[in-house]
Amino acid sequence: MRYNPLGQTGLLVSELCLGTMTFGGGDGMWKEIGNLRQEQADVLVRTALDAGVNFIDTANVYADGLSEQMTGQALRNLGIARDDVVIATKVLGPMGKGPNACGASRAHILAQARASLKRLQLDHIDLYQIHGVDPLTPIEETMEALDTLVRCGDVRYVGVSNWAAWQIAKALGIAERKNLAPLRSLQAYYTLAGRDLERELAPMLLSEQVGLMVWSPLAGGLLSGKYHRDGTSISGDGRRADFDFPPVNRDRAFDVIDAMRPIATAHGCSVAQIALAWLLHQKVVTSVIVGARRPEQLVDNLGARTITLSAAELDRLDRVSALPPEYPGWMIERQGAYRLGAMAGEKPQSA
């Protein structure tokens, strides 16, 4: 297992992170995602830690708080020392029926941080993340609330999930101007079947040294290689059959799967491991979140860390999954050639 700094910090996190969305179950989509009981959660946590994982991600809304509760209890049941794990959780979604029981306001953030600490049975949260965009709360208010948690010791580092590049850049500017705790990470969707993040987010993250945690690296299981092109499962089960998320361009996704199959055969591994290994080869990626319902699924995912893809294999996957050109990207690339060409002594040409 390799370990990477979380953005511009000295905190080292494993390149694979255990996701706990399958813990707890409940009603609605949580039932479809997973309904693991405490004993099963303990096994997954133990399996991940034994493989060198030191990073665990959860959220207050997962199974209405039960995922956090089970995560904290697993650490106690297994006798895990607090300093041996990095615990991340999130806040934003509804945790009650009132109009203020959700969002990224100061009131909701501070209240939910205390509630998460209680459920997790911890004295601090290593990484506290805003789970998405709150269109009503000013970013200044959100950043000041997060800074309060850092200064009082309840939280060590702060991050966001599912934010646009301009919103993260704005938050970083506010933090610098007001001397607030800066954002250290983004949790975002990124797969061979969905590389949209590369348009704006990836360049910004690299420029500002913000870490990237990848959620749903197998596109909701689609890149596991266990589905036909019509979306039906080869084995007759699978999450996508009942919870078709995240949205995917299926033609491109299955072209990617077709390209991954011979590579997986050459490496003697699963298609899922190739999809995960590709992410681990991307410079912008800090950690890839893997979740599972069964220990054997988790073991297979953890095996991705041992796979080294050749330049030819990476090129093949890059070509089949490439995003179509969009403005202003194609114009930036065209005009940027002036300067790059000048370095090589080439005569500039007009646009």
Side-chain angles (χ1 to χ4, degrees), residues 1-2 15-16 51 217-218 267 269-281 288 290 297-309:
M1 186 69 68
R2 292 178 291 267
E15 62 184 337
L16 292 175
L218 298 180
H267 285 267
C269 68
S270 67
V271 171
Q273 286 177 327
I274 297 300
L276 295 171
W278 179 85
L279 284 168
L280 296 177
H281 281 71
V288 176
V290 293
Q297 287 180 319
L298 181 58
V299 169
D300 184 77
N301 289 346
L302 292 171
R305 73 191 190 279
T306 66
I307 297 171
T308 300
L309 299 175

PDB file of all heavy atoms in Angstrom, residues 1-2 15-16 51 217-218 267 269-281 288 290 297-309:
ATOM      1  N   MET A   1       0.844  -1.191   0.000  1.00  0.00           N
ATOM      2  CA  MET A   1       0.000   0.000   0.000  1.00  0.00           C
ATOM      3  C   MET A   1       0.881   1.243   0.000  1.00  0.00           C
ATOM      4  O   MET A   1       1.801   1.367   0.805  1.00  0.00           O
ATOM      5  CB  MET A   1      -0.925   0.006   1.222  1.00  0.00           C
ATOM      6  CG  MET A   1      -1.935   1.135   1.236  1.00  0.00           C
ATOM      7  SD  MET A   1      -3.214   0.992  -0.044  1.00  0.00           S
ATOM      8  CE  MET A   1      -4.106  -0.452   0.535  1.00  0.00           C
ATOM      9  N   ARG A   2       0.589   2.157  -0.908  1.00  0.00           N
ATOM     10  CA  ARG A   2       1.290   3.432  -0.931  1.00  0.00           C
ATOM     11  C   ARG A   2       0.456   4.473  -0.194  1.00  0.00           C
ATOM     12  O   ARG A   2      -0.764   4.361  -0.096  1.00  0.00           O
ATOM     13  CB  ARG A   2       1.539   3.871  -2.374  1.00  0.00           C
ATOM     14  CG  ARG A   2       2.542   2.997  -3.121  1.00  0.00           C
ATOM     15  CD  ARG A   2       2.711   3.446  -4.563  1.00  0.00           C
ATOM     16  NE  ARG A   2       1.501   3.173  -5.327  1.00  0.00           N
ATOM     17  CZ  ARG A   2       1.298   2.060  -6.020  1.00  0.00           C
ATOM     18  NH1 ARG A   2       2.206   1.107  -6.025  1.00  0.00           N
ATOM     19  NH2 ARG A   2       0.179   1.886  -6.710  1.00  0.00           N
ATOM     20  N   GLU A  15      -3.607   5.034  -0.538  1.00  0.00           N
ATOM     21  CA  GLU A  15      -4.098   5.283  -1.889  1.00  0.00           C
ATOM     22  C   GLU A  15      -5.469   4.669  -2.136  1.00  0.00           C
ATOM     23  O   GLU A  15      -6.166   5.039  -3.068  1.00  0.00           O
ATOM     24  CB  GLU A  15      -3.099   4.767  -2.916  1.00  0.00           C
ATOM     25  CG  GLU A  15      -2.862   3.264  -2.847  1.00  0.00           C
ATOM     26  CD  GLU A  15      -1.795   2.801  -3.820  1.00  0.00           C
ATOM     27  OE1 GLU A  15      -1.547   3.512  -4.817  1.00  0.00           O
ATOM     28  OE2 GLU A  15      -1.211   1.724  -3.596  1.00  0.00           O
ATOM     29  N   LEU A  16      -5.856   3.708  -1.301  1.00  0.00           N
ATOM     30  CA  LEU A  16      -7.207   3.170  -1.309  1.00  0.00           C
ATOM     31  C   LEU A  16      -7.860   3.495   0.026  1.00  0.00           C
ATOM     32  O   LEU A  16      -7.232   3.376   1.079  1.00  0.00           O
ATOM     33  CB  LEU A  16      -7.197   1.660  -1.545  1.00  0.00           C
ATOM     34  CG  LEU A  16      -6.737   1.207  -2.937  1.00  0.00           C
ATOM     35  CD1 LEU A  16      -6.654  -0.310  -3.000  1.00  0.00           C
ATOM     36  CD2 LEU A  16      -7.667   1.729  -4.030  1.00  0.00           C
ATOM     37  N   ALA A  51      -4.845  -4.892   4.951  1.00  0.00           N
ATOM     38  CA  ALA A  51      -4.220  -4.665   3.649  1.00  0.00           C
ATOM     39  C   ALA A  51      -3.418  -3.371   3.606  1.00  0.00           C
ATOM     40  O   ALA A  51      -2.826  -3.047   2.576  1.00  0.00           O
ATOM     41  CB  ALA A  51      -5.290  -4.644   2.563  1.00  0.00           C
ATOM     42  N   PRO A 217     -15.589   4.710  -8.052  1.00  0.00           N
ATOM     43  CA  PRO A 217     -14.573   4.515  -9.094  1.00  0.00           C
ATOM     44  C   PRO A 217     -14.945   3.455 -10.129  1.00  0.00           C
ATOM     45  O   PRO A 217     -14.326   3.399 -11.189  1.00  0.00           O
ATOM     46  CB  PRO A 217     -13.340   4.088  -8.293  1.00  0.00           C
ATOM     47  CG  PRO A 217     -13.901   3.445  -7.059  1.00  0.00           C
ATOM     48  CD  PRO A 217     -15.109   4.263  -6.727  1.00  0.00           C
ATOM     49  N   LEU A 218     -15.944   2.629  -9.820  1.00  0.00           N
ATOM     50  CA  LEU A 218     -16.410   1.630 -10.782  1.00  0.00           C
ATOM     51  C   LEU A 218     -17.742   2.031 -11.409  1.00  0.00           C
ATOM     52  O   LEU A 218     -18.452   1.203 -11.984  1.00  0.00           O
ATOM     53  CB  LEU A 218     -16.543   0.256 -10.107  1.00  0.00           C
ATOM     54  CG  LEU A 218     -15.253  -0.334  -9.547  1.00  0.00           C
ATOM     55  CD1 LEU A 218     -15.522  -1.688  -8.907  1.00  0.00           C
ATOM     56  CD2 LEU A 218     -14.191  -0.459 -10.637  1.00  0.00           C
ATOM     57  N   HIS A 267      -3.010  -9.413 -17.277  1.00  0.00           N
ATOM     58  CA  HIS A 267      -2.503  -9.246 -15.911  1.00  0.00           C
ATOM     59  C   HIS A 267      -3.029 -10.324 -14.969  1.00  0.00           C
ATOM     60  O   HIS A 267      -2.643 -10.348 -13.793  1.00  0.00           O
ATOM     61  CB  HIS A 267      -2.891  -7.861 -15.368  1.00  0.00           C
ATOM     62  CG  HIS A 267      -2.081  -6.742 -15.946  1.00  0.00           C
ATOM     63  ND1 HIS A 267      -0.929  -6.270 -15.349  1.00  0.00           N
ATOM     64  CD2 HIS A 267      -2.255  -6.002 -17.072  1.00  0.00           C
ATOM     65  CE1 HIS A 267      -0.433  -5.282 -16.073  1.00  0.00           C
ATOM     66  NE2 HIS A 267      -1.223  -5.095 -17.127  1.00  0.00           N
ATOM     67  N   CYS A 269      -6.105 -10.627 -13.774  1.00  0.00           N
ATOM     68  CA  CYS A 269      -6.889  -9.970 -12.731  1.00  0.00           C
ATOM     69  C   CYS A 269      -8.287  -9.660 -13.255  1.00  0.00           C
ATOM     70  O   CYS A 269      -8.618  -9.961 -14.405  1.00  0.00           O
ATOM     71  CB  CYS A 269      -6.191  -8.694 -12.262  1.00  0.00           C
ATOM     72  SG  CYS A 269      -6.160  -7.380 -13.511  1.00  0.00           S
ATOM     73  N   SER A 270      -9.110  -9.049 -12.425  1.00  0.00           N
ATOM     74  CA  SER A 270     -10.478  -8.715 -12.811  1.00  0.00           C
ATOM     75  C   SER A 270     -10.515  -7.397 -13.587  1.00  0.00           C
ATOM     76  O   SER A 270      -9.592  -6.581 -13.511  1.00  0.00           O
ATOM     77  CB  SER A 270     -11.359  -8.589 -11.569  1.00  0.00           C
ATOM     78  OG  SER A 270     -10.963  -7.465 -10.789  1.00  0.00           O
ATOM     79  N   VAL A 271     -11.603  -7.197 -14.320  1.00  0.00           N
ATOM     80  CA  VAL A 271     -11.824  -5.933 -15.028  1.00  0.00           C
ATOM     81  C   VAL A 271     -11.895  -4.781 -14.032  1.00  0.00           C
ATOM     82  O   VAL A 271     -11.371  -3.688 -14.276  1.00  0.00           O
ATOM     83  CB  VAL A 271     -13.113  -6.015 -15.865  1.00  0.00           C
ATOM     84  CG1 VAL A 271     -13.480  -4.645 -16.434  1.00  0.00           C
ATOM     85  CG2 VAL A 271     -12.947  -7.020 -16.993  1.00  0.00           C
ATOM     86  N   ALA A 272     -12.532  -5.011 -12.891  1.00  0.00           N
ATOM     87  CA  ALA A 272     -12.638  -3.974 -11.862  1.00  0.00           C
ATOM     88  C   ALA A 272     -11.263  -3.509 -11.397  1.00  0.00           C
ATOM     89  O   ALA A 272     -11.037  -2.313 -11.174  1.00  0.00           O
ATOM     90  CB  ALA A 272     -13.448  -4.499 -10.675  1.00  0.00           C
ATOM     91  N   GLN A 273     -10.333  -4.429 -11.257  1.00  0.00           N
ATOM     92  CA  GLN A 273      -8.992  -4.059 -10.817  1.00  0.00           C
ATOM     93  C   GLN A 273      -8.292  -3.167 -11.837  1.00  0.00           C
ATOM     94  O   GLN A 273      -7.552  -2.261 -11.463  1.00  0.00           O
ATOM     95  CB  GLN A 273      -8.168  -5.314 -10.549  1.00  0.00           C
ATOM     96  CG  GLN A 273      -8.566  -6.038  -9.262  1.00  0.00           C
ATOM     97  CD  GLN A 273      -7.777  -7.320  -9.060  1.00  0.00           C
ATOM     98  OE1 GLN A 273      -7.409  -8.000 -10.021  1.00  0.00           O
ATOM     99  NE2 GLN A 273      -7.528  -7.667  -7.810  1.00  0.00           N
ATOM    100  N   ILE A 274      -8.536  -3.392 -13.117  1.00  0.00           N
ATOM    101  CA  ILE A 274      -7.946  -2.535 -14.146  1.00  0.00           C
ATOM    102  C   ILE A 274      -8.533  -1.125 -14.055  1.00  0.00           C
ATOM    103  O   ILE A 274      -7.802  -0.122 -14.167  1.00  0.00           O
ATOM    104  CB  ILE A 274      -8.164  -3.128 -15.551  1.00  0.00           C
ATOM    105  CG1 ILE A 274      -7.459  -4.477 -15.671  1.00  0.00           C
ATOM    106  CG2 ILE A 274      -7.670  -2.168 -16.627  1.00  0.00           C
ATOM    107  CD1 ILE A 274      -5.953  -4.417 -15.443  1.00  0.00           C
ATOM    108  N   ALA A 275      -9.841  -1.017 -13.855  1.00  0.00           N
ATOM    109  CA  ALA A 275     -10.479   0.294 -13.725  1.00  0.00           C
ATOM    110  C   ALA A 275      -9.908   1.066 -12.533  1.00  0.00           C
ATOM    111  O   ALA A 275      -9.661   2.275 -12.615  1.00  0.00           O
ATOM    112  CB  ALA A 275     -11.990   0.130 -13.577  1.00  0.00           C
ATOM    113  N   LEU A 276      -9.698   0.371 -11.425  1.00  0.00           N
ATOM    114  CA  LEU A 276      -9.134   1.011 -10.236  1.00  0.00           C
ATOM    115  C   LEU A 276      -7.664   1.344 -10.441  1.00  0.00           C
ATOM    116  O   LEU A 276      -7.192   2.423 -10.036  1.00  0.00           O
ATOM    117  CB  LEU A 276      -9.303   0.098  -9.022  1.00  0.00           C
ATOM    118  CG  LEU A 276     -10.750  -0.175  -8.577  1.00  0.00           C
ATOM    119  CD1 LEU A 276     -10.781  -1.274  -7.517  1.00  0.00           C
ATOM    120  CD2 LEU A 276     -11.393   1.092  -8.035  1.00  0.00           C
ATOM    121  N   ALA A 277      -6.925   0.426 -11.067  1.00  0.00           N
ATOM    122  CA  ALA A 277      -5.502   0.655 -11.302  1.00  0.00           C
ATOM    123  C   ALA A 277      -5.284   1.879 -12.189  1.00  0.00           C
ATOM    124  O   ALA A 277      -4.336   2.647 -11.985  1.00  0.00           O
ATOM    125  CB  ALA A 277      -4.863  -0.580 -11.929  1.00  0.00           C
ATOM    126  N   TRP A 278      -6.156   2.077 -13.176  1.00  0.00           N
ATOM    127  CA  TRP A 278      -6.036   3.261 -14.039  1.00  0.00           C
ATOM    128  C   TRP A 278      -6.130   4.540 -13.206  1.00  0.00           C
ATOM    129  O   TRP A 278      -5.340   5.471 -13.399  1.00  0.00           O
ATOM    130  CB  TRP A 278      -7.127   3.237 -15.109  1.00  0.00           C
ATOM    131  CG  TRP A 278      -7.070   4.433 -16.022  1.00  0.00           C
ATOM    132  CD1 TRP A 278      -6.301   4.584 -17.142  1.00  0.00           C
ATOM    133  CD2 TRP A 278      -7.803   5.663 -15.879  1.00  0.00           C
ATOM    134  NE1 TRP A 278      -6.510   5.818 -17.695  1.00  0.00           N
ATOM    135  CE2 TRP A 278      -7.422   6.499 -16.940  1.00  0.00           C
ATOM    136  CE3 TRP A 278      -8.735   6.129 -14.951  1.00  0.00           C
ATOM    137  CZ2 TRP A 278      -7.946   7.790 -17.113  1.00  0.00           C
ATOM    138  CZ3 TRP A 278      -9.264   7.405 -15.105  1.00  0.00           C
ATOM    139  CH2 TRP A 278      -8.878   8.214 -16.180  1.00  0.00           C
ATOM    140  N   LEU A 279      -7.056   4.579 -12.283  1.00  0.00           N
ATOM    141  CA  LEU A 279      -7.186   5.751 -11.415  1.00  0.00           C
ATOM    142  C   LEU A 279      -5.932   5.957 -10.587  1.00  0.00           C
ATOM    143  O   LEU A 279      -5.468   7.093 -10.403  1.00  0.00           O
ATOM    144  CB  LEU A 279      -8.398   5.601 -10.494  1.00  0.00           C
ATOM    145  CG  LEU A 279      -9.768   5.827 -11.126  1.00  0.00           C
ATOM    146  CD1 LEU A 279     -10.876   5.361 -10.199  1.00  0.00           C
ATOM    147  CD2 LEU A 279      -9.957   7.299 -11.490  1.00  0.00           C
ATOM    148  N   LEU A 280      -5.364   4.878 -10.061  1.00  0.00           N
ATOM    149  CA  LEU A 280      -4.165   4.985  -9.232  1.00  0.00           C
ATOM    150  C   LEU A 280      -2.957   5.472 -10.025  1.00  0.00           C
ATOM    151  O   LEU A 280      -1.972   5.924  -9.433  1.00  0.00           O
ATOM    152  CB  LEU A 280      -3.858   3.640  -8.573  1.00  0.00           C
ATOM    153  CG  LEU A 280      -4.905   3.127  -7.579  1.00  0.00           C
ATOM    154  CD1 LEU A 280      -4.522   1.750  -7.062  1.00  0.00           C
ATOM    155  CD2 LEU A 280      -5.088   4.101  -6.421  1.00  0.00           C
ATOM    156  N   HIS A 281      -3.038   5.405 -11.359  1.00  0.00           N
ATOM    157  CA  HIS A 281      -1.958   5.909 -12.211  1.00  0.00           C
ATOM    158  C   HIS A 281      -2.121   7.400 -12.540  1.00  0.00           C
ATOM    159  O   HIS A 281      -1.232   7.989 -13.165  1.00  0.00           O
ATOM    160  CB  HIS A 281      -1.905   5.115 -13.519  1.00  0.00           C
ATOM    161  CG  HIS A 281      -1.227   3.789 -13.406  1.00  0.00           C
ATOM    162  ND1 HIS A 281      -1.771   2.718 -12.741  1.00  0.00           N
ATOM    163  CD2 HIS A 281      -0.030   3.337 -13.885  1.00  0.00           C
ATOM    164  CE1 HIS A 281      -0.956   1.674 -12.821  1.00  0.00           C
ATOM    165  NE2 HIS A 281       0.099   2.023 -13.501  1.00  0.00           N
ATOM    166  N   VAL A 288      -8.503   6.508  -3.707  1.00  0.00           N
ATOM    167  CA  VAL A 288      -9.691   5.986  -4.372  1.00  0.00           C
ATOM    168  C   VAL A 288     -10.544   5.250  -3.347  1.00  0.00           C
ATOM    169  O   VAL A 288     -10.063   4.345  -2.662  1.00  0.00           O
ATOM    170  CB  VAL A 288      -9.304   5.021  -5.515  1.00  0.00           C
ATOM    171  CG1 VAL A 288     -10.549   4.413  -6.147  1.00  0.00           C
ATOM    172  CG2 VAL A 288      -8.471   5.750  -6.567  1.00  0.00           C
ATOM    173  N   VAL A 290     -13.114   2.698  -2.077  1.00  0.00           N
ATOM    174  CA  VAL A 290     -13.698   1.419  -2.480  1.00  0.00           C
ATOM    175  C   VAL A 290     -14.639   0.935  -1.382  1.00  0.00           C
ATOM    176  O   VAL A 290     -14.317   0.978  -0.208  1.00  0.00           O
ATOM    177  CB  VAL A 290     -12.612   0.359  -2.764  1.00  0.00           C
ATOM    178  CG1 VAL A 290     -11.796   0.745  -3.982  1.00  0.00           C
ATOM    179  CG2 VAL A 290     -11.691   0.152  -1.570  1.00  0.00           C
ATOM    180  N   GLN A 297     -15.396  -9.100  -2.464  1.00  0.00           N
ATOM    181  CA  GLN A 297     -15.413  -7.916  -3.322  1.00  0.00           C
ATOM    182  C   GLN A 297     -14.332  -6.940  -2.895  1.00  0.00           C
ATOM    183  O   GLN A 297     -13.601  -6.392  -3.731  1.00  0.00           O
ATOM    184  CB  GLN A 297     -16.777  -7.221  -3.241  1.00  0.00           C
ATOM    185  CG  GLN A 297     -17.910  -7.926  -3.941  1.00  0.00           C
ATOM    186  CD  GLN A 297     -19.209  -7.150  -3.798  1.00  0.00           C
ATOM    187  OE1 GLN A 297     -19.512  -6.619  -2.720  1.00  0.00           O
ATOM    188  NE2 GLN A 297     -19.974  -7.065  -4.866  1.00  0.00           N
ATOM    189  N   LEU A 298     -14.231  -6.724  -1.603  1.00  0.00           N
ATOM    190  CA  LEU A 298     -13.238  -5.786  -1.088  1.00  0.00           C
ATOM    191  C   LEU A 298     -11.827  -6.282  -1.366  1.00  0.00           C
ATOM    192  O   LEU A 298     -10.953  -5.507  -1.774  1.00  0.00           O
ATOM    193  CB  LEU A 298     -13.440  -5.576   0.415  1.00  0.00           C
ATOM    194  CG  LEU A 298     -12.478  -4.594   1.091  1.00  0.00           C
ATOM    195  CD1 LEU A 298     -12.562  -3.223   0.439  1.00  0.00           C
ATOM    196  CD2 LEU A 298     -12.768  -4.494   2.584  1.00  0.00           C
ATOM    197  N   VAL A 299     -11.589  -7.565  -1.163  1.00  0.00           N
ATOM    198  CA  VAL A 299     -10.265  -8.136  -1.422  1.00  0.00           C
ATOM    199  C   VAL A 299      -9.877  -7.939  -2.888  1.00  0.00           C
ATOM    200  O   VAL A 299      -8.733  -7.587  -3.209  1.00  0.00           O
ATOM    201  CB  VAL A 299     -10.231  -9.630  -1.045  1.00  0.00           C
ATOM    202  CG1 VAL A 299      -8.948 -10.288  -1.553  1.00  0.00           C
ATOM    203  CG2 VAL A 299     -10.338  -9.796   0.465  1.00  0.00           C
ATOM    204  N   ASP A 300     -10.833  -8.152  -3.786  1.00  0.00           N
ATOM    205  CA  ASP A 300     -10.556  -7.958  -5.212  1.00  0.00           C
ATOM    206  C   ASP A 300     -10.188  -6.507  -5.494  1.00  0.00           C
ATOM    207  O   ASP A 300      -9.212  -6.220  -6.199  1.00  0.00           O
ATOM    208  CB  ASP A 300     -11.774  -8.363  -6.042  1.00  0.00           C
ATOM    209  CG  ASP A 300     -11.499  -8.272  -7.537  1.00  0.00           C
ATOM    210  OD1 ASP A 300     -10.827  -9.178  -8.065  1.00  0.00           O
ATOM    211  OD2 ASP A 300     -11.931  -7.288  -8.166  1.00  0.00           O
ATOM    212  N   ASN A 301     -10.951  -5.562  -4.943  1.00  0.00           N
ATOM    213  CA  ASN A 301     -10.664  -4.146  -5.152  1.00  0.00           C
ATOM    214  C   ASN A 301      -9.299  -3.758  -4.598  1.00  0.00           C
ATOM    215  O   ASN A 301      -8.549  -3.004  -5.223  1.00  0.00           O
ATOM    216  CB  ASN A 301     -11.745  -3.282  -4.502  1.00  0.00           C
ATOM    217  CG  ASN A 301     -13.071  -3.339  -5.233  1.00  0.00           C
ATOM    218  OD1 ASN A 301     -13.151  -3.804  -6.369  1.00  0.00           O
ATOM    219  ND2 ASN A 301     -14.124  -2.872  -4.590  1.00  0.00           N
ATOM    220  N   LEU A 302      -8.979  -4.278  -3.420  1.00  0.00           N
ATOM    221  CA  LEU A 302      -7.699  -3.955  -2.793  1.00  0.00           C
ATOM    222  C   LEU A 302      -6.525  -4.460  -3.635  1.00  0.00           C
ATOM    223  O   LEU A 302      -5.428  -3.900  -3.584  1.00  0.00           O
ATOM    224  CB  LEU A 302      -7.635  -4.553  -1.391  1.00  0.00           C
ATOM    225  CG  LEU A 302      -8.594  -3.949  -0.352  1.00  0.00           C
ATOM    226  CD1 LEU A 302      -8.585  -4.775   0.928  1.00  0.00           C
ATOM    227  CD2 LEU A 302      -8.227  -2.499  -0.051  1.00  0.00           C
ATOM    228  N   GLY A 303      -6.772  -5.486  -4.424  1.00  0.00           N
ATOM    229  CA  GLY A 303      -5.722  -6.037  -5.269  1.00  0.00           C
ATOM    230  C   GLY A 303      -5.276  -5.098  -6.376  1.00  0.00           C
ATOM    231  O   GLY A 303      -4.213  -5.306  -6.978  1.00  0.00           O
ATOM    232  N   ALA A 304      -6.050  -4.067  -6.660  1.00  0.00           N
ATOM    233  CA  ALA A 304      -5.698  -3.129  -7.733  1.00  0.00           C
ATOM    234  C   ALA A 304      -4.375  -2.423  -7.463  1.00  0.00           C
ATOM    235  O   ALA A 304      -3.680  -2.001  -8.392  1.00  0.00           O
ATOM    236  CB  ALA A 304      -6.809  -2.105  -7.908  1.00  0.00           C
ATOM    237  N   ARG A 305      -4.017  -2.292  -6.190  1.00  0.00           N
ATOM    238  CA  ARG A 305      -2.794  -1.561  -5.847  1.00  0.00           C
ATOM    239  C   ARG A 305      -1.538  -2.272  -6.322  1.00  0.00           C
ATOM    240  O   ARG A 305      -0.455  -1.668  -6.367  1.00  0.00           O
ATOM    241  CB  ARG A 305      -2.724  -1.324  -4.336  1.00  0.00           C
ATOM    242  CG  ARG A 305      -2.402  -2.573  -3.527  1.00  0.00           C
ATOM    243  CD  ARG A 305      -2.623  -2.330  -2.030  1.00  0.00           C
ATOM    244  NE  ARG A 305      -2.103  -3.413  -1.200  1.00  0.00           N
ATOM    245  CZ  ARG A 305      -2.724  -4.553  -0.971  1.00  0.00           C
ATOM    246  NH1 ARG A 305      -3.906  -4.771  -1.531  1.00  0.00           N
ATOM    247  NH2 ARG A 305      -2.197  -5.477  -0.197  1.00  0.00           N
ATOM    248  N   THR A 306      -1.634  -3.537  -6.673  1.00  0.00           N
ATOM    249  CA  THR A 306      -0.465  -4.309  -7.088  1.00  0.00           C
ATOM    250  C   THR A 306      -0.275  -4.307  -8.598  1.00  0.00           C
ATOM    251  O   THR A 306       0.699  -4.869  -9.099  1.00  0.00           O
ATOM    252  CB  THR A 306      -0.592  -5.770  -6.612  1.00  0.00           C
ATOM    253  OG1 THR A 306      -1.692  -6.403  -7.299  1.00  0.00           O
ATOM    254  CG2 THR A 306      -0.827  -5.835  -5.107  1.00  0.00           C
ATOM    255  N   ILE A 307      -1.176  -3.668  -9.346  1.00  0.00           N
ATOM    256  CA  ILE A 307      -1.149  -3.724 -10.806  1.00  0.00           C
ATOM    257  C   ILE A 307      -0.465  -2.480 -11.379  1.00  0.00           C
ATOM    258  O   ILE A 307      -0.853  -1.351 -11.070  1.00  0.00           O
ATOM    259  CB  ILE A 307      -2.568  -3.848 -11.376  1.00  0.00           C
ATOM    260  CG1 ILE A 307      -3.203  -5.159 -10.900  1.00  0.00           C
ATOM    261  CG2 ILE A 307      -2.555  -3.776 -12.899  1.00  0.00           C
ATOM    262  CD1 ILE A 307      -4.665  -5.275 -11.227  1.00  0.00           C
ATOM    263  N   THR A 308       0.530  -2.693 -12.203  1.00  0.00           N
ATOM    264  CA  THR A 308       1.213  -1.609 -12.906  1.00  0.00           C
ATOM    265  C   THR A 308       0.881  -1.704 -14.379  1.00  0.00           C
ATOM    266  O   THR A 308       1.211  -2.700 -15.042  1.00  0.00           O
ATOM    267  CB  THR A 308       2.734  -1.696 -12.707  1.00  0.00           C
ATOM    268  OG1 THR A 308       3.036  -1.608 -11.305  1.00  0.00           O
ATOM    269  CG2 THR A 308       3.436  -0.568 -13.445  1.00  0.00           C
ATOM    270  N   LEU A 309       0.209  -0.697 -14.895  1.00  0.00           N
ATOM    271  CA  LEU A 309      -0.173  -0.676 -16.304  1.00  0.00           C
ATOM    272  C   LEU A 309       0.962  -0.106 -17.145  1.00  0.00           C
ATOM    273  O   LEU A 309       1.618   0.866 -16.754  1.00  0.00           O
ATOM    274  CB  LEU A 309      -1.431   0.170 -16.493  1.00  0.00           C
ATOM    275  CG  LEU A 309      -2.688  -0.321 -15.744  1.00  0.00           C
ATOM    276  CD1 LEU A 309      -3.827   0.672 -15.905  1.00  0.00           C
ATOM    277  CD2 LEU A 309      -3.108  -1.694 -16.251  1.00  0.00           C
TER     278      LEU A 309
END
